[in-house]
């Protein structure tokens, strides 16, 4: 049985990011949110585009005002008003100034802006009451970005700030990686669809819904293949189809050691290489990870192989193994160059946390900010792998390492941050390994 860290290393080593030549598409900037940039972006524009004012005030020559004070103010003639978007007409001569507003072009001859709070105006004259710094409040052309250099690198996720930069740089279309395709199906004779009445011994298949939501949140495209009965022929047909259409295949159930757990045997019959069969963790011990020999029969060259995850059947175990192993794999596959590793935080535990110490144990709960310090609050109720109910509204998993049977209240505990949580930015400098 593999340790969690060894399993993680094997999985991430198996993941090959999407190909920049083959797996890209062009999208409109309005639809580029959360996509992964496939090629570096440059712009022919400088930022700022021209010298402009960072303040409402007066554009002056520094040498005219460098000795100004309230007792002996420099007195300048106002020759022009320059609002934003206006092309200055005058060149500032000795003894002159221009009224200027934030973002407006600096007129020729001027090199400094005096903020209006440090002035007094009388008709067409301005009194400079305090000596400014040379070139004060002037945003110089190309001081933020120089045209023709790299504006954004490939391999980053495009969020609102990047979208704003690209819009300002007049980039209406972008080359991004296509979304990874993730095939999803559940196995088990006891499973029924969400709209079917339950018979004794049956359960509703919640796993497909949970996994599909997590896949979408990760930026990938879920391919829903439904429920497959515990029938080897049916399972082989679905697995063969799934590995043909997807980059990653996620099945839930059928990977333990029961009489009706057929997945591993079918994978072997399809010449899959099984890299992981079980992991020393709770919940989530029965985990299968496999790859397939992949050949282009026409051109006789190797092509990308689907990565197969046979997840446990119990719903809590499905979510824990997805967060711990599948999510980083999807992120790395997507083309992101960094930030796909799991994020662990060291926080204070509000509750007593217990484990038998035999396996790395994950307990779900919620982080709360208490007096400026984050605390982990364990979800109430049973932490059985079959209990889905108390997983709702959780945002973190406390991790008890092998051999650790007790974490007392107020003691520090390592937690795994779950997907799409807002506290990531606040805590990113507290990541531990």
């Amino acid at each position: 049985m593999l340790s969690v860290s060894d399993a993680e290393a094997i999985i991430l080593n198996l993941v090959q990011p999407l190909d920049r030549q083959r797996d890209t598409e062009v999208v409109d900037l309005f639809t580029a949110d959360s996509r992964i940039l496939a090629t570096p972006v440059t712009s022919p524009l400088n930022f700022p585009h021209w010298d402009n004012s960072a303040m409402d005030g007066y554009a002056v020559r520094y040498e005219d005002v460098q000795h100004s004070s309230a007792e002996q103010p420099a007195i300048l003639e106002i020759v022009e008003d320059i609002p934003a978007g206006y092309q200055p007409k005058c060149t500032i001569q000795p003894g002159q100034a221009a009224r200027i507003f934030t973002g407006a072009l600096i007129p020729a001859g001027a090199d400094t802006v005096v903020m209006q709070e440090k002035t007094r105006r009388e008709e067409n004259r301005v009194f400079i009451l305090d000596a400014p710094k040379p070139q004060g409040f002037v945003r110089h052309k190309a001081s933020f970005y120089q045209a023709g250099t790299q504006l954004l690198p490939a391999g980053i996720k495009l969020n609102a700030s990047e979208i704003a930069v690209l819009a300002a740089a007049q980039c209406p279309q972008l080359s991004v990686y296509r979304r990874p395709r993730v095939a999803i199906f559940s196995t088990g004779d006891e499973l029924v669809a969400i709209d079917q009445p339950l018979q004794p011994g049956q359960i509703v298949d919640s796993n497909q819904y949970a996994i599909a939501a997590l896949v979408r949140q990760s930026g990938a495209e879920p391919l829903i293949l439904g429920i497959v009965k515990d029938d080897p022929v049916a399972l082989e047909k679905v697995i063969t189809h799934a590995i043909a259409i997807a980059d990653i295949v996620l099945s839930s159930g059928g990977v333990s050691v029961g009489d009706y757990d057929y997945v591993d045997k079918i994978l072997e019959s399809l010449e899959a290489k099984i890299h992981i069969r079980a992991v020393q963790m709770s919940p989530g011990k029965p985990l299968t990870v496999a790859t397939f020999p992949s050949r282009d029969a026409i051109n006789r060259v190797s092509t990308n192989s689907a990565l197969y995850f046979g997840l446990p059947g119990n719903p809590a175990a499905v979510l824990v193994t997805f967060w711990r192993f599948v999510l980083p794999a999807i992120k790395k596959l997507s083309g992101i160059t960094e930030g796909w590793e799991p994020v662990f935080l060291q926080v204070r535990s509000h509750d007593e946390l217990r484990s038998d110490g035999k396996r790395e144990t994950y307990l779900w709960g919620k982080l709360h900010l208490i007096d400026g310090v984050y605390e982990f609050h364990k979800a109430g109720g049973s932490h059985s792998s079959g209990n889905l109910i108390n997983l709702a509204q959780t945002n973190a998993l406390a991790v008890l390492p092998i051999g650790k049977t007790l974490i007392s209240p107020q003691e520090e505990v390592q937690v795994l941050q779950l997907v799409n949580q807002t506290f990531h930015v606040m805590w990113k400098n507290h990541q531990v390994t």
Side-chain angles (χ1 to χ4, degrees), residues 381-404:
S382 167
H383 280 244
S384 161
S385 62
N387 183 14
L388 181 62
I389 302 304
N390 65 348
L391 272 163
Q393 300 183 68
T394 57
N395 61 18
L397 298 173
V399 184
L400 278 68
I402 294 172
K404 185 74 171 180

Side-chain angles (χ1 to χ4, degrees), residues 120-199:
R120 183 179 79 251
R121 181 170 180 169
E122 293 181 4
E123 297 181 347
N124 70 333
R125 296 188 304 166
V126 60
F127 293 72
I128 308 301
L129 306 177
D130 192 15
K133 294 180 179 180
Q135 302 186 56
F137 299 115
V138 175
R139 295 187 289 221
H140 292 282
K141 177 181 178 180
S143 60
F144 300 163
Y145 168 79
Q146 186 174 359
T149 61
Q150 181 172 282
L151 181 65
L152 292 176
I156 63 169
K157 185 177 181 181
L158 297 175
N159 294 313
S161 54
E162 290 79 19
I163 297 293
V165 168
L166 291 165
Q170 294 186 321
C171 298
Q173 293 186 315
L174 302 166
S175 176
V176 299
Y177 287 105
R178 65 169 176 81
R179 297 186 188 276
R181 295 184 287 265
V182 181
I184 303 166
F185 65 93
S186 300
T187 70
D189 290 339
E190 75 279 14
L191 299 178
V192 298
I194 193 172
D195 57 351
Q196 292 180 311
L198 286 175
Q199 301 299 324

Side-chain angles (χ1 to χ4, degrees), residues 86-294:
Y86 173 81
Q87 178 69 47
K89 302 295 190 299
C90 297
T91 296
I92 303 303
Q93 304 293 338
Q96 294 181 340
R99 179 75 169 109
I100 197 167
F101 297 88
T102 302
L105 274 70
I106 301 295
D111 57 19
T112 299
V113 172
V114 180
M115 61 190 301
Q116 64 183 24
E117 290 83 354
K118 303 294 185 180
T119 67
R120 183 179 79 251
R121 181 170 180 169
E122 293 181 4
E123 297 181 347
N124 70 333
R125 296 188 304 166
V126 60
F127 293 72
I128 308 301
L129 306 177
D130 192 15
K133 294 180 179 180
Q135 302 186 56
F137 299 115
V138 175
R139 295 187 289 221
H140 292 282
K141 177 181 178 180
S143 60
F144 300 163
Y145 168 79
Q146 186 174 359
T149 61
Q150 181 172 282
L151 181 65
L152 292 176
I156 63 169
K157 185 177 181 181
L158 297 175
N159 294 313
S161 54
E162 290 79 19
I163 297 293
V165 168
L166 291 165
Q170 294 186 321
C171 298
Q173 293 186 315
L174 302 166
S175 176
V176 299
Y177 287 105
R178 65 169 176 81
R179 297 186 188 276
R181 295 184 287 265
V182 181
I184 303 166
F185 65 93
S186 300
T187 70
D189 290 339
E190 75 279 14
L191 299 178
V192 298
I194 193 172
D195 57 351
Q196 292 180 311
L198 286 175
Q199 301 299 324
Q202 293 183 329
I203 57 174
V204 176
D205 175 26
S206 62
N207 287 345
Q208 281 195 89
Y209 290 89
I211 294 172
L214 290 169
V215 167
R216 290 190 191 96
Q217 289 172 11
S218 72
E221 176 188 359
L223 308 174
I224 310 301
L225 302 184
I227 299 171
V228 185
K229 296 300 182 182
D230 289 323
D231 174 69
V233 175
L235 278 169
E236 181 174 345
K237 181 178 179 180
V238 170
I239 291 173
T240 301
H241 175 60
I243 64 177
I245 64 172
D247 303 295
I248 290 177
V249 179
L250 302 178
S251 66
S252 61
V255 293
S256 191
V257 293
D259 291 342
Y260 297 96
D261 294 323
Y262 298 118
V263 170
D264 282 13
K265 294 177 182 178
I266 293 170
L267 294 177
E268 290 172 344
S269 73
L270 295 173
E271 299 182 351
K273 181 176 181 180
I274 299 181
H275 303 269
I276 299 172
R277 294 180 185 270
V279 181
Q280 201 169 2
M281 65 185 293
S282 177
K285 174 185 173 183
L287 174 69
T288 294
V289 177
T291 53
F292 300 84
S294 185

Side-chain angles (χ1 to χ4, degrees), residues 1 58 67 114 121 164 200 233 271 286 296 324 330 378 389 396:
M1 190 185 310
Y58 293 87
H67 301 300
V114 180
R121 181 170 180 169
V233 175
E271 299 182 351
D296 183 324
R324 187 64 184 86
I330 293 176
K378 186 180 73 169
I389 302 304

